[in-house]
Amino acid sequence: MRRVLNAGLSLRRNPFSQSRGILFNLQSSVRYSTLLEQKSILRHEEQEKNPTYLPNRKSKRTASRKPPANSDVLPLKYSLQDIPAATRLLSYQPPLGNTDHLPFKVVRSKMGHLPVYLDYKQQRTKVITILRKIYGDTDELKQELSRVLGGAEITERAGSLEVNGPHRAAIMMWLKRLGF
């Protein structure tokens, strides 16, 4: 592309124009960059005035993914154990044990991992968390899991439970602290 300097403005030939003689300038892009600089300066000034100021960058779609705050969610029925500090950073954590008092059981996989999986449906726009290998009183497990997840709706399938949303980390931590 041929560049021409004319009175301090950068002009170049428009490759998309019908006639070759039409030139356009980049003055609009310069205006846009100065506008962005002004916005960032205003944002920094606002942060200096109010240290708790955070620019709203979340879209409406991500804001609607937050679970509803239910005030009628009951506290947990079964006590949780503390995870030892020595095994906190390990990817594999052995079961803590002491699960004899629980009316339900969750069996680990052959490799020793908890059977909590994420499934993506509807062209990967819907996330479902699946808890497999459950035995015993599944109704009690559903109620307790609903309390852990803040009142989320849980669907029971043959040998598994399904929860809408990405709750894998929360369910795995809860199961580890129960002793599984």
Side-chain angles (χ1 to χ4, degrees):
M1 294 183 152
R2 191 181 75 155
R3 292 183 179 236
V4 179
L5 293 176
N6 185 9
L9 295 176
S10 173
L11 300 173
R12 78 178 152 181
R13 198 172 291 277
N14 187 351
F16 303 108
S17 65
Q18 294 294 327
S19 66
R20 294 184 181 188
I22 297 176
L23 296 175
F24 71 99
N25 62 17
L26 300 177
Q27 191 174 7
S28 61
S29 64
V30 172
R31 284 187 204 144
Y32 182 70
S33 63
T34 55
L35 180 67
L36 289 178
E37 290 173 6
Q38 290 173 356
K39 283 185 177 182
S40 66
I41 291 170
L42 289 175
R43 188 178 303 129
H44 290 297
E45 289 175 358
E46 188 68 30
Q47 286 176 346
E48 290 174 2
K49 290 178 187 175
N50 185 4
T52 60
Y53 169 78
L54 293 174
N56 186 10
R57 294 186 179 189
K58 291 186 177 180
S59 65
K60 294 178 184 177
R61 188 173 189 179
T62 57
S64 65
R65 290 184 186 170
K66 293 180 182 177
N70 292 342
S71 60
D72 57 345
V73 176
L74 300 174
L76 297 178
K77 188 173 180 180
Y78 303 104
S79 62
L80 302 175
Q81 302 175 28
D82 291 329
I83 296 177
T87 62
R88 265 189 207 143
L89 299 177
L90 299 175
S91 60
Y92 168 76
Q93 294 177 348
L96 298 175
N98 303 329
T99 59
D100 297 332
H101 66 284
L102 299 173
F104 50 85
K105 300 288 179 209
V106 177
V107 179
R108 289 189 176 224
S109 67
K110 290 180 183 178
M111 297 300 294
H113 300 288
L114 288 169
V116 183
Y117 307 99
L118 290 179
D119 189 18
Y120 299 94
K121 298 191 177 198
Q122 295 178 1
Q123 298 178 353
R124 298 186 67 85
T125 59
K126 183 177 182 181
V127 182
I128 297 175
T129 307
I130 301 172
L131 173 63
R132 297 181 56 225
K133 297 188 175 191
I134 55 174
Y135 301 99
D137 190 3
T138 56
D139 292 331
E140 187 70 27
L141 177 61
K142 278 174 56 175
Q143 290 175 0
E144 189 73 6
L145 187 58
S146 178
R147 290 179 190 144
V148 168
L149 300 178
E153 185 178 337
I154 298 171
T155 307
E156 185 175 356
R157 303 277 185 221
S160 65
L161 296 177
E162 294 183 358
V163 185
N164 287 334
H167 300 288
R168 183 175 188 265
I171 294 174
M172 286 182 68
M173 184 55 70
W174 173 66
L175 288 173
K176 287 175 188 176
R177 292 190 64 194
L178 274 178
F180 293 112

